[in-house]
Amino acid sequence: MSDVILSIRGLAKNYELSGALARRKEVVHAVENVNLEIREGETLGIVGESGCGKSTLGRMIVRLEQPTAGEILFEGHDLAKEPKKKLRALRKRFQMIFQDPYAALNPRRQIGQIVEEPLRVHGVGKEERRAIAKDLLKRVGLDEGAYEKYPHEFSGGQRQRVVIARALALNPRLVVADEPVSALDVSIQAQVLNLFKDLQKELNLTYVFIAHDLGVVRHVSDRIAVMYLGKVVELAEADVLYESPAHPYSQALLSANPRMGADDKRERIILKGDIPNPINRPSGCAFNPRCPKAADICRTESPELMTIGTRQVACHFPTL
Amino acid sequence: MSLKENSEAIFSESPGKIALRTLRKDKRSVISLSILGFIIAISLLAPVYAHFIAHTNPFNSSLDATTHVGGKVVPVLEASTTGLGLGVTPIGPTWNPTGYFLGADGQGRDVMARLLYGGRNTLLIGASAGIICIVLALLIGVIAGYRKGWIDSILSRLLDVIWAFPVYLLAISLSVVLLTSGLKLGFIHVGPGSFALPILIIGIVYIPYVARPIRAQVLSLREREFVRAAVGIGAKDSTIIFREILPNIIPSVLVFVPIIIALCMLTESALSFLSIGVQPPQASWGTIINDGLALLYTRPWVGIAPGLFIVLTAASLNLYGDAVRDALDPKTRSRGDA
Ligand SMILES: Nc1ncnc2c1ncn2[C@@H]1O[C@H](COP(=O)(O)OP(=O)(O)OP(=O)(O)O)[C@@H](O)[C@H]1O
Ligand code: SF4
Ligand SMILES: [Mg+2]
């Protein structure tokens, strides 16, 4: 088994809503007690419905968000407690790729400047910067001329390639990609996903890959974590999860996904009701109001994430 | 359509260059800049006009001066023939640039020469106050929006306080207090007659009108993903402000410049009209209107001429502001191009 490069212990993020809209001080439990280990060279997929805390978790891993509690252990540092200045120096080891390539590039700067910026920030000289940036642009499949152009001259797919080039400029070990293809045309998505895979092989990168399209995640992931209302409810090898999901929520997600193809003979399970509000989590298992297997114990006792064989599941009645 | 082809055929242009090109082609900017250029040029040439053309000193009252009209020598001030026969009536416009083109004021001074000198002062104070206003507003807006938290709270309350007073009421109260005594702040000592006082007062009064929209824009920019990306690569706050935030704020600041200068100029004129701006013997368009008030029925040009200059300057600045705004806004740009 490969080495663990980043491990998360008891990670949580609460947002306090105050001000005119919230009557009392309300707390959003965006992420609760997440424990994960990310292994060298793998792609860990994170899936779940909108609002389950995927982005919040991703942003905490690269410390664009300060966790409320927990540890993020990376190369001997706890990123959650690292002071601002030291953190800035560490940032070249882990990078984030954003969902919206239109918002992720400063419209007033040239592509070359954008890709060189991380190098400039970390003190790389002018000539070297330029050479690295040009090489990176070539690697992500853009031509020479891109260097002097502005973001408004590019399509979404090309912009996402620029975002990827910028993230790789500092030669990071870990890249967190938050729905990197969901804003792109379906015809472009496959190209960009293949770019991710090629770069991973060439540069020995480790990915945390967030998505809510299960087809996309399966295509790239080695292991997949399923999140529900801020918690990881199942974590398994990609193939294992897709062949035999153990958690009722994973089963529902997979059966609801029309892109899984004709070989999928499982009965479709329709998720009843809306995603409950992360402000008022249901007691016991958070999934119980929508779960077809819910029993009395599910309404009172919250299931812990338990290791069963090669996978981890948080359910009182997992399918095995 | 044609714009896209151009930019691909030649070379790629920054958003700023595209805006500049649009602005150059805009008729409104050509017209307004010509008018402004003319007014600024003649105002700057005020001493030349006074010394070499009109041969007059517009700051001294010259009650017994004379001038030539139609070959005859006439006194500039004549005893009043109307009413009780008290006081004097100054000479009206001679329409002759070599002397008393627009007539004289109540002290026998050449109105045209004073108008040009007054233009220098009004434009100088308006432009300096406008620039001070925008620089301070930019500083306050960016710091408040970027730092958030308690710094933002303090700065925002400060803006609220300035905002809460009607502009003219605030300007008038500040002027009345400061103009009589001057300003003493530690090492800084500004005398009562100095232009620094009206410039500061007028500049400060308009800060909230610029600082608030800038703060709001910074607040939204700092949540944009390219700013998060800059944090993510390990950039310092100062780097993020100068390289990511400011380039995106500058366009809206540029739109403010002509409009705020126009407002400052109007405020200067109003304060000077009320005798709490530019102090005699210095002139400004506002003080000349005040001089003209007493002569409104007999010599209306004394009041009308500076009024016309004020209107023309303010209107040109606003027109230019509109052109700048449209050139920087990509949504209206295509319309202007067609
Ligand atoms: N800055 C914030 N302030 C308050 N609440 C927030 C904030 N950011 C996220 N949340 C809340 O936290 C929860 C998780 O949000 P998050 O963006 O992590 O979800 P997500 O899984 O990424 O969803 P999506 O698929 O829509 O991107 C949501 O309920 C969201 O409303
Ligand atoms: S614990 Fe109960 S409610 Fe929760 S997923 Fe399992 S069976 Fe369903
Ligand atoms: Mg998200």
Side-chain angles (χ1 to χ4, degrees), chain B residues 112-132:
Chain B
M112 187 65 203
R114 279 185 72 73
L115 195 65
L116 298 184
Y117 272 101
R120 290 209 320 178
N121 292 341
T122 296
L123 293 174
L124 175 76
I125 294 174
S128 316
I131 285 161
I132 285 180

Side-chain angles (χ1 to χ4, degrees), chain B residues 23-24 26-43 123 309 312-313 315-317 319-320 323:
Chain B
L23 188 62
R24 281 217 200 93
D26 192 321
K27 283 197 194 74
R28 290 170 302 176
S29 88
V30 176
I31 295 172
S32 55
L33 283 185
S34 312
I35 297 174
L36 286 173
F38 175 72
I39 293 174
I40 292 169
I42 61 170
S43 300
L123 293 174
F309 272 86
L312 209 57
T313 312
S316 303
L317 282 166
L319 191 67
Y320 187 61

Side-chain angles (χ1 to χ4, degrees), chain A residues 15 17 28 30 49-57 59 99 179 212 278:
Chain A
Y15 290 108
L17 296 181
V28 182
E49 285 163 296
S50 182
C52 68
K54 306 184 295 293
S55 297
T56 306
L57 177 61
R59 288 202 300 265
Q99 175 174 2
E179 308 204 25
H212 59 223

Side-chain angles (χ1 to χ4, degrees), chain A residues 247-249 285-289 291-295 298 301 303 314-318:
Chain A
H247 194 282
Y249 177 65
C285 171
F287 188 53
N288 83 65
C291 180
K293 288 164 100 185
C298 304
E301 261 177 62
C315 174
H316 295 301
F317 309 105

